[in-house]
Amino acid sequence: MKVPSWKTITGLAAAAILALAIGAAPSQAATPVQSTKVSAGLSASDLSKLPLTDRHLTEREKANLAVVLRAYHAGEGDVLDAQGFIDLFAEDGVLNGIGGVEGQTSLRGKQLGDLIVWLGKFLPDIHRELKQITVNGDVVSIELSIQGTFLGPFETPAGVIQPTGAKIDFPTADFWYLRNGKVEVFDCHIAFATLYAQLGVLPDYASAVGN
């Protein structure tokens, strides 16, 4: 069975994601737009076309899933709604797991929106292919791939890697924990080894052995 792309899923979840008040042209993809207006409802038809492990969801689970889908939509390359992404989090909400060689990084408040903008510069056409969705009460677990084209600079501790135009496609596991319709914790686990290999960043085994 062919896995639906996020662009397809966005259309299927039209009841949960309304049209943007202000659109962004492809050449302006890294510029955040005004907050996305959304509806909390997901119809049976919408749900039937999503890669759910269980389609028998309670109303609360449907509402939680709608919030998560809105978050992914806000991070799409042709949307990049930084404020809309922030607004989906609780006041003390946190995103964990976005980090590089320095280890895990936790982001809050404005930092959440900054991440959306940075990803839009790094991969202007960024989108997510959702492969499997499991909803269990206030927890939404998703297996996905983050895809895009390496067209923007990628900063590293050693300096900036200049864009190569390479196609990027790396697996990710996301765990969303919600409270009262807001994201309390978002744990994002990225396959950095795959990402770095696609960026042309190979491990320095010799230095590691030398230590």
Side-chain angles (χ1 to χ4, degrees), residues 12 15 41-50 52 55 59 62:
L12 300 177
L42 283 173
S43 70
S45 176
D46 295 328
L47 293 172
S48 70
K49 298 169 185 175
L50 292 172
L52 288 162
R55 304 190 183 283
E59 291 306 310
K62 292 177 184 177

Side-chain angles (χ1 to χ4, degrees), residues 47-131:
L47 293 172
S48 70
K49 298 169 185 175
L50 292 172
L52 288 162
T53 58
D54 183 357
R55 304 190 183 283
H56 299 90
L57 305 182
T58 66
E59 291 306 310
R60 186 180 74 181
E61 288 174 332
K62 292 177 184 177
N64 285 335
L65 176 57
V67 171
V68 172
L69 293 179
R70 287 152 60 191
Y72 285 126
H73 179 69
E76 289 293 284
D78 57 354
V79 178
L80 296 180
D81 184 0
Q83 187 58 51
F85 186 73
I86 294 172
D87 291 344
L88 296 172
F89 282 74
E91 186 175 349
D92 58 348
V94 59
L95 187 159
N96 299 313
I98 300 295
V101 294
E102 79 282 0
Q104 178 172 291
T105 300
S106 295
L107 306 176
R108 293 177 172 82
K110 183 179 179 297
Q111 295 173 328
L112 298 168
D114 292 341
L115 173 64
I116 295 298
V117 175
W118 178 81
L119 285 171
K121 292 179 179 178
F122 165 43
L123 303 172
D125 57 347
I126 187 170
H127 69 280
R128 283 86 174 165
E129 182 177 309
L130 308 187
K131 297 185 176 181

Side-chain angles (χ1 to χ4, degrees), residues 126-146:
I126 187 170
H127 69 280
R128 283 86 174 165
E129 182 177 309
L130 308 187
K131 297 185 176 181
Q132 182 170 282
I133 303 173
T134 300
V135 186
N136 184 10
D138 290 329
V139 181
V140 180
S141 306
I142 299 184
E143 176 189 351
L144 67 149
S145 290
I146 298 179

